[in-house]
Amino acid sequence: QLQLVESGGGLVQPGGSLRLSCAASGVTLDDYAIVWFRQAPGKGREGVLCISSSGGSTNYLDSVKGRFTISRDNAKNTVYLQMNSLKPEDTAVYYCAARNYYCSGPLFTGSWGQGTQVTVSS
């Protein structure tokens, strides 16, 4: 079973930055696409960014374009979400999950962890 663990969230002021990490123990992520998604209070889950097994990225939200970037470090078996110029509307629980090789591939719905809370507030 692939089980991912998210970390790096916290409280930040508008305009600040956070780097979220998505990691797995005992399983190599090299052959998986990893997608970050988020869920704000009272809203449904929405995809944010995805990175394929080959490193190509897919952006699902115009609102984060130019502010968020996704990357992976296979040596560390970790995928990152760098979030800059944060806005209050970015407040949400952020999750990562795995897809089969490509960002267009099937989602392993049981792969996500408990998520990490990001709160953007002054």
Side-chain angles (χ1 to χ4, degrees), residues 14-88:
S17 298
L18 286 172
R19 174 173 285 185
L20 307 184
S21 297
C22 175
S25 296
V27 178
T28 300
L29 297 179
D30 294 11
D31 293 334
Y32 295 94
I34 301 296
V35 58
W36 283 98
F37 58 95
R38 67 186 185 185
Q39 187 166 18
K43 297 182 179 180
R45 190 183 73 181
E46 58 182 359
V48 181
L49 278 165
C50 180
I51 186 166
S52 73
S53 62
S54 63
S57 64
T58 299
N59 194 321
Y60 300 111
L61 292 177
D62 288 340
S63 63
V64 306
K65 191 173 184 178
R67 299 190 297 119
F68 292 8
T69 56
I70 190 168
S71 63
R72 67 192 307 156
D73 187 338
N74 288 339
K76 296 181 179 179
N77 206 34
T78 302
V79 173
Y80 303 99
L81 181 66
Q82 178 68 47
M83 306 186 296
N84 298 325
S85 302
L86 283 162
K87 303 176 180 180

